Amino acid sequence: MDFTGKTALVTGAAGGIGQAITRLLREQGAKVAAADRDTSMIQADAHLPGDLLDPTYANVLPARAAEALGGLDIVINNAGVITRGSVTETSDDDWSLSLGVNVEAPFRICRAAIPIMAQGGGGAIVNTASCWGLRPGPNHAVYCMTKAAIASLTQCMGHDHAHQGIRINAVCPNEVNTPMLRSGFEKRGFDPDTAIAELGKTVPLGRIAEPEDIADVVLFLASDAARYMCGTLVEVNGGKPVT
């Protein structure tokens, strides 16, 4: 997967998976614009900090990346949040945050990026959905709904924009060993190392995913190796079903 001469925008670049994606893209020759609330600790070719809940920021992010990098070949909509609980346990703030980051921001970014890519002759967009959006699990009602929405949107956009040479696919992870997962365990009073080890016992491969396990699949979908994949949802779950 050679990305020499390619330009890429990565959202959620400061998170566990985002950092892995950014690092691997740059190692393979791409120039990367990193987007997150704080990008100061990320090695990238352009830093575009901001809040994805701000429509203006999300709307102009692809154009800003293209200007900073000299083009835009790849967009990785990686940013995401997890809201736990049933519908009756979900606050208005939870709802707004989940819809804003997981659905509205990728929609706005794709809407802005597609014309730029089309003018440049094509490109690749990879969205982050989830196994939990394909087969909902318990006590994550709004999270599952938002990931189902981005999965469906990916399929629709994949069909609608293939003729422009733009391939739009999604990666669908299960549990990943990230700071977001670890902080979730801590908030619930669990030791993260112990909880992750126990969680790994439920996975047929014997462990939950590391960020690089997901990043490698994202890079594959963004690369010419996936040139005939469009509107596809790729599960990366170690063989573990959603239960």
Side-chain angles (χ1 to χ4, degrees):
M1 292 185 288
D2 183 6
F3 290 94
T4 302
K6 298 293 186 181
T7 54
L9 167 64
V10 180
T11 71
I17 297 173
Q19 287 191 43
I21 293 169
T22 300
R23 184 182 72 254
L24 292 174
L25 278 170
R26 297 184 79 234
E27 287 176 357
Q28 296 302 322
K31 292 192 296 181
V32 179
D36 211 314
R37 286 173 294 182
D38 181 2
T39 63
S40 60
M41 302 300 292
I42 306 167
Q43 294 293 322
D45 301 280
H47 294 263
L48 303 174
D51 186 354
L52 285 175
L53 293 176
D54 179 357
T56 301
Y57 172 73
N59 285 337
V60 302
L61 193 53
R64 290 181 62 195
E67 181 180 6
L69 301 176
L72 187 61
D73 302 303
I74 298 164
V75 170
I76 313 296
N77 280 307
N78 167 71
V81 296
I82 297 176
T83 299
R84 296 175 175 84
S86 65
V87 166
T88 55
E89 298 168 317
T90 303
S91 68
D92 286 355
D93 287 343
D94 291 336
W95 171 267
S96 297
L97 175 64
S98 297
L99 268 290
V101 175
N102 293 356
V103 181
E104 185 173 338
F107 161 75
R108 290 181 179 278
I109 290 167
C110 287
R111 184 177 64 180
I114 287 168
I116 297 172
M117 290 180 166
Q119 187 174 10
I125 297 174
V126 183
N127 297 320
T128 300
S130 171
C131 295
W132 287 61
L134 306 182
R135 283 172 298 280
N139 297 317
H140 286 71
V142 172
Y143 175 72
C144 291
M145 184 203 70
T146 60
K147 290 304 183 178
I150 197 63
S152 180
L153 183 62
T154 296
Q155 292 175 312
C156 293
M157 292 189 300
H159 296 156
D160 290 344
H161 300 286
H163 71 282
Q164 296 171 288
I166 302 170
R167 298 185 303 99
I168 306 174
N169 297 289
V171 63
C172 303
N174 207 322
E175 296 102 344
V176 186
N177 185 10
T178 62
M180 184 165 64
L181 182 74
R182 287 178 167 273
S183 65
F185 281 130
E186 289 175 347
K187 289 177 182 177
R188 287 176 284 166
F190 298 109
D191 174 68
D193 289 335
T194 301
I196 286 171
E198 289 300 311
L199 195 57
K201 296 176 182 178
T202 69
V203 182
L205 279 181
R207 62 176 178 84
I208 67 170
E210 295 296 327
E212 290 76 13
D213 296 321
I214 311 304
D216 279 341
V217 178
V218 170
L219 262 67
F220 165 70
L221 290 173
S223 77
D224 289 340
R227 59 191 172 273
Y228 204 65
M229 296 180 70
C230 202
T232 301
L233 310 176
V234 180
E235 293 190 63
V236 188
N237 59 13
K240 178 182 176 179
V242 174
T243 55

